[in-house]
């Protein structure tokens, strides 16, 4: 268990994992509630960016007549893989960065 606590009273690793455990919504909640833990803020931002992009991709794939369902299925599998990977790493207390979402989240974290 992590010795550090977020401003929500939860250990950092648990709060970070909850950002992913409830995709998109968890990121919004912890971004609104967290005041001091950069770890939790990073994971909240990364969750918002990654799962927000997946939601946009799902909506756009619904507009494609023939290949849309195939793209939606691929996006669903990618979403599941990202979800499992990020819950695992955040529970372990690691600052694992997704390739594009992590860099953008770190950039935004510098402005908070």
């Amino acid at each position: 268990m992590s010795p550090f606590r977020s401003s929500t009273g939860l250990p950092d690793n648990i709060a970070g994992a909850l950002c992913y455990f409830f995709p998109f919504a968890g990121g919004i909640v912890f971004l609104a509630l967290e005041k001091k833990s950069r770890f939790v803020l990073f994971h909240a931002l990364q969750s918002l960016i990654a799962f927000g992009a997946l939601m946009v991709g799902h909506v756009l794939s619904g507009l494609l007549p023939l290949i849309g369902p195939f793209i939606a299925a691929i996006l669903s599998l990618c979403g599941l893989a990202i979800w499992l990977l990020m819950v695992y790493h955040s529970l372990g207390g690691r600052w694992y960065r997704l390739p594009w979402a992590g860099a953008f989240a770190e950039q935004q974290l510098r402005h908070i």
Side-chain angles (χ1 to χ4, degrees):
M1 186 148 89
S2 174
F4 303 107
R5 294 208 172 264
S6 74
S7 57
T8 61
L10 295 170
D12 278 355
N13 62 335
I14 301 297
L18 288 174
C19 293
Y20 299 106
F21 195 74
F22 301 103
F24 197 73
I28 292 172
V29 168
F30 279 96
L31 197 57
L33 295 177
E34 186 57 50
K35 304 294 184 233
K36 64 180 182 178
S37 174
R38 312 265 313 150
F39 179 81
V40 176
L41 286 172
F42 168 76
H43 284 293
L45 281 168
Q46 186 167 251
S47 173
L48 274 173
I49 295 164
F51 290 109
L54 283 170
M55 284 195 304
V56 168
H58 272 284
V59 169
L60 293 177
S61 71
L63 301 174
L64 300 173
L66 296 175
I67 199 165
F70 176 71
I71 293 173
I74 296 293
L75 287 173
S76 294
L77 289 174
C78 287
L80 177 63
I82 289 169
W83 183 77
L84 289 171
L85 180 74
M86 296 315 301
V87 167
Y88 171 76
H89 282 296
S90 58
L91 276 175
R94 291 180 288 279
W95 289 69
Y96 186 83
R97 285 183 4 166
L98 292 170
W100 53 271
F104 189 69
E106 278 186 342
Q107 179 186 7
Q108 295 305 311
L109 195 57
R110 287 187 212 125
H111 301 294
I112 293 178

